[in-house]
Amino acid sequence: QCRRCYSTRAPVSLLGQQYPTDSMTNITSAIIDKVGRNLYMNPSHPLGILQSLISSHFHNFNSMVGLNPVVSPARNFDDLGFPPDHPGRAATDSYYINKDLMLRTHTSAHEVETFARGERQWLLSADVYRRDEIDASHYPVFHQMEGARVFSADAVGRAELEDDNARLSHHLARSNIVIEDVPHITASNPPQDVHDPVLAELVALNLKLSLNSLMLTLFGDRAGANEGEPLRVRWIEAYFPFTTPSYEVEVFFRGKWLEILGCGVVQQQTLDRARVPDSISWAFGLGLERIAMILFSIPDIRLFWSQDPRFISQFTAGQINTFKPYSKYPACYKDLSFWLPQTGLHDNDFCDLVRDTVGDLVQDVVLIDSFTHPKTNRSSKCYRINYCSMDRSLSNDEANSVHAQVISNLKDKFGVEIR
Ligand code: FA5
Ligand code: MG
């Protein structure tokens, strides 16, 4: 066992393959257990139902699934133009198997290889992994769908774009949707020097129309959801290292604005790396859990992983229905105060240790106090852990015993001193 990173130094086995570990290794067994579950491939799981709905919306697109989540940092970051010091690369934010291999943090990791295979309009669904806080809407494994469409950068591509834009505009003009737009291109959201500005505008417009149309398929006219009001979609300027111009899309649903996806005009260097000549492309990446929680009224992101028949049996392939919570079990809060080791302790390290020790018995973790002693300069933190099962009532004895296990692992693995 490694004291610093609490990972086992034995080789890691993932999908039948053995990987050596090293000082970068921070993948935990709670994560290893999730690899290969492929929830989005189950046609009667909410994630699978949503995945199929999106695939059928883009019925002319080649829809790919089942790609191995183990990728090189080169694929996940460098190929996409992430700078060397981008925070996403840090071991506190991403899961590393060793210094050369990681679990993808987004489906964009497969853009170059997919473009390189000559795919011109494609979708890719996959599990992605990020180290993060613990609460009802964050889970270290979630699912994304990437979509892209390539046009030839010439008169043929231009005619195809003009046709498709006219078709989509016509469809949207007759629908009950209100769009808050931003200009396709601005000084802060610039086009690429290599692009013909007229073509770049047409591609950005095609991206927006294609995604507005998807929003209509997903959120328009859902029984009672918008109470006859038009669907409201909001476009926001965004930044991604691998697209420009870039945008985020939000949808107003049951009284709230919700971030659904990120997208943009693909940086030409991505297509160049994939050796796709004389072309221009748009791409988007959306999170399936966020959308499914809204559409099916699923209140806690852990539920997607539940194998309880009271969850699973509520869903049917091809149908979007409202989830009926089968019961709420009492929350059990335990506070944990400790002095930090000399080297400090990242919140994500603490959360991963809790998740790895107690699995899905943790509902959320909140940092409630942080303190540095003025004389000794020692720092302490206090976290409040909420233990609550999704499926049953947790006895106080059981909560005490898992909490004791958390304390003992925290001492062993990080050498902290409990206050
Ligand atoms: C990306 O991952 C980009 N790869 C998206 C992209 C693709 C941009 C292609 C341009 C072109 P971001 O980190 O914002 O971006 O995540 C995209 C979507 O994934 C979010 O809009 C959200 O729906 C979902 N998402 C992100 N983080 C989480 C999380 N912790 N839990 C659940 N869903 C999440
Ligand atoms: Mg975002």
Side-chain angles (χ1 to χ4, degrees):
Q1 286 260 302
C2 162
R3 278 180 67 86
R4 284 289 309 131
C5 57
Y6 65 86
S7 62
T8 46
R9 287 305 186 87
V12 165
S13 171
L14 282 173
L15 303 171
Q17 175 100 23
Q18 299 263 70
Y19 298 94
T21 52
D22 60 25
S23 61
M24 273 296 267
T25 307
N26 64 357
I27 184 173
T28 62
S29 49
I31 296 300
I32 293 170
D33 287 348
K34 299 292 190 290
V35 176
R37 283 280 296 277
N38 294 329
L39 298 177
Y40 70 97
M41 290 191 201
N42 175 349
S44 44
H45 186 280
L47 297 176
I49 297 169
L50 180 58
Q51 195 273 350
S52 310
L53 184 61
I54 297 170
S55 299
S56 10
H57 176 87
F58 289 106
H59 55 92
N60 291 325
F61 284 48
N62 189 10
S63 183
M64 287 159 283
V65 296
L67 275 81
N68 196 311
V70 178
V71 300
S72 62
R75 283 270 176 260
N76 197 79
F77 296 121
D78 304 66
D79 277 4
L80 296 163
F82 279 79
D85 58 349
H86 192 278
R89 292 178 187 258
T92 49
D93 287 37
S94 297
Y95 288 105
Y96 285 86
I97 296 159
N98 53 46
K99 67 179 183 2
D100 301 318
L101 292 172
M102 63 185 301
L103 294 175
R104 68 185 153 227
T105 62
H106 57 170
T107 42
S108 302
H110 300 289
E111 277 194 8
V112 171
E113 68 198 66
T114 308
F115 285 132
R117 276 206 315 277
E119 298 288 348
R120 302 288 282 187
Q121 34 190 29
W122 54 269
L123 292 174
L124 192 156
S125 312
D127 39 334
V128 301
Y129 300 78
R130 295 186 193 176
R131 301 188 70 199
D132 218 328
E133 62 210 272
I134 299 184
D135 68 24
S137 62
H138 287 87
Y139 202 81
V141 191
F142 61 101
H143 297 81
Q144 286 189 334
M145 277 178 91
E146 192 93 354
R149 182 165 176 188
V150 185
F151 299 89
S152 58
D154 59 13
V156 176
R158 184 169 169 159
E160 187 187 353
L161 279 159
E162 281 166 348
D163 268 11
D164 201 53
N165 289 352
R167 175 185 69 82
L168 288 164
S169 302
H170 181 70
H171 164 65
L172 288 160
R174 292 184 313 167
S175 318
N176 201 15
I177 182 169
V178 173
I179 296 151
E180 288 177 34
D181 208 353
V182 286
H184 305 330
I185 286 171
T186 63
S188 51
N189 204 18
Q192 298 170 42
D193 292 341
V194 293
H195 287 158
D196 166 356
V198 176
L199 206 56
E201 286 261 353
L202 286 170
V203 170
L205 177 60
N206 189 259
L207 168 64
K208 287 180 172 179
L209 293 169
S210 302
L211 291 174
N212 286 335
S213 159
L214 174 66
M215 293 307 115
L216 206 51
T217 296
L218 295 179
F219 299 101
D221 304 321
R222 288 266 161 246
N226 295 312
E227 285 154 0
E229 294 293 307
L231 172 66
R232 291 169 68 194
V233 175
R234 176 157 88 178
W235 284 76
I236 297 169
E237 235 178 72
Y239 175 80
F240 299 101
F242 41 97
T243 51
T244 188
S246 307
Y247 317 93
E248 272 171 0
V249 174
E250 296 186 345
V251 164
F252 196 76
F253 198 73
R254 299 201 180 107
K256 273 196 221 150
W257 286 104
L258 305 149
E259 183 197 318
I260 302 293
L261 60 84
C263 64
V265 177
V266 174
Q267 282 281 5
Q268 208 57 28
Q269 59 142 15
T270 308
L271 294 173
D272 293 345
R273 275 210 178 82
R275 299 181 191 285
V276 178
D278 311 318
S279 297
I280 182 168
S281 175
W282 54 246
F284 68 82
L286 60 78
L288 286 175
E289 275 81 354
R290 294 261 170 96
I291 303 176
M293 286 175 83
I294 301 161
L295 288 180
F296 294 89
S297 301
I298 294 173
D300 187 322
I301 196 164
R302 290 177 301 169
L303 281 163
F304 291 110
W305 299 90
S306 172
Q307 287 170 320
D308 192 313
R310 288 171 297 177
F311 178 77
I312 298 168
S313 66
Q314 291 197 28
F315 306 100
T316 312
Q319 275 180 36
I320 294 196
N321 56 284
T322 300
F323 170 68
K324 292 180 198 63
Y326 30 88
S327 64
K328 269 215 185 320
Y329 297 100
C332 182
Y333 293 94
K334 305 266 174 212
D335 291 355
L336 180 45
S337 299
F338 54 88
W339 294 107
L340 296 186
Q342 284 298 310
T343 46
L345 178 68
H346 194 284
D347 287 345
N348 287 348
D349 284 327
F350 182 77
C351 286
D352 256 337
L353 180 131
V354 176
R355 185 92 73 181
D356 210 38
T357 307
V358 311
D360 283 347
L361 290 182
V362 56
Q363 180 165 312
D364 52 71
V365 172
V366 184
L367 178 66
I368 55 173
D369 190 36
S370 225
F371 164 79
T372 302
H373 193 283
K375 293 223 173 90
T376 63
N377 230 8
R378 287 178 90 197
S379 298
S380 75
K381 283 189 173 182
C382 181
Y383 291 95
R384 177 161 295 165
I385 307 175
N386 174 6
Y387 297 104
C388 178
S389 165
M390 294 178 289
D391 308 324
R392 64 199 170 80
S393 202
L394 208 60
S395 73
N396 199 45
D397 280 355
E398 199 177 352
N400 279 335
S401 116
V402 292
H403 189 63
Q405 196 58 54
V406 167
I407 292 174
S408 131
N409 285 352
L410 191 65
K411 284 200 243 172
D412 281 5
K413 289 164 186 169
F414 293 107
V416 311
E417 187 189 321
I418 305 300
R419 286 187 67 175

